[in-house]
Amino acid sequence: MSVRAPLRRHRFIGAAVSLSAAVVLASSLSACSGDDPPKKAYTVPASLCGTPVDPALVKAVLPGGDSISSATSRLNDGATRCNVSIDGKAALSLTQAWWSEGQTTATVSEGYAGTDDGALSDDGRFVVYTGKAGVGKTSSCTSSEHPEQDLYAVVQVSDSGVDDQTVMKSLIVDYTTAVERSAACE
């Protein structure tokens, strides 16, 4: 019996040391991988799909990755969407859409995903929903192709992007202003 007692204690100590080593190793590995978001190694261009953008505001809502690309798609009723991808995965869409005169920004925003429980600006031109989406009404856009319609700008971030209402508010105002100055407005 006296021979077995020290042997059992030795096994317990060995197991405790192994467990401690595993915890230290796991902590080291998580520290190496870090809790920091992935690095944004790409450069956002000053124009996406032909519309000027503030690269810093756009980058602020995008996820980390190595490369950025964009492509324009035409939607029904004359709307256009600029799809922005990071490393080939959808990250952001910038839409320009014509809606019947008399609509409100709040009503228009109901047509877009991620627009629940938004905050309406004092002037009623902008709606920001969490940090994932925003809708803005241009102030003076007209088009002979879209009589009696108003042009709206929409920004939507995919699930992999950042959720920051302050940044989204700045981005939707900036993008709407850029759309007002673009060829989309006559």
Side-chain angles (χ1 to χ4, degrees):
M1 184 165 163
S2 63
V3 173
R4 290 186 184 169
L7 184 57
R8 286 184 187 155
R9 191 174 350 150
H10 179 67
R11 283 185 190 163
F12 176 74
I13 292 171
V17 169
S18 295
L19 180 60
S20 295
V23 168
V24 168
L25 178 61
S27 297
S28 298
L29 290 176
S30 67
C32 290
S33 64
D35 293 333
D36 296 330
K39 184 177 178 185
K40 298 177 182 183
Y42 50 83
T43 300
V44 176
S47 176
L48 289 171
C49 302
T51 303
V53 295
D54 180 336
L57 288 175
V58 172
K59 196 168 193 174
V61 299
L62 295 175
D66 294 320
S67 65
I68 185 171
S69 62
S70 63
T72 302
S73 60
R74 303 265 181 236
L75 307 174
N76 58 356
D77 299 330
T80 60
R81 178 172 292 143
C82 180
N83 298 304
V84 179
S85 299
I86 302 298
D87 296 338
K89 295 174 82 175
L92 175 69
S93 68
L94 305 166
T95 304
Q96 298 173 25
W98 293 94
W99 285 73
S100 299
E101 283 181 347
Q103 299 291 324
T104 66
T105 306
T107 303
V108 170
S109 64
E110 292 174 3
Y112 298 94
T115 58
D116 299 332
D117 301 323
L120 185 63
S121 65
D122 290 339
D123 63 3
R125 285 188 58 209
F126 301 97
V127 179
V128 176
Y129 295 92
T130 66
K132 294 285 189 181
V135 177
K137 181 180 180 182
T138 60
S139 62
S140 59
C141 286
T142 60
S143 170
S144 57
E145 294 179 25
H146 303 282
E148 300 180 20
Q149 291 185 325
D150 293 318
L151 183 59
Y152 287 82
V154 182
V155 176
Q156 294 171 289
V157 177
S158 72
D159 290 335
S160 62
V162 176
D163 187 345
D164 185 330
Q165 190 172 20
T166 302
V167 172
M168 180 54 69
K169 182 177 179 181
S170 295
L171 180 57
I172 190 58
V173 170
D174 185 72
Y175 182 62
T176 303
T177 301
V179 170
E180 289 171 341
R181 295 178 183 156
S182 75
C185 293
E186 293 178 352

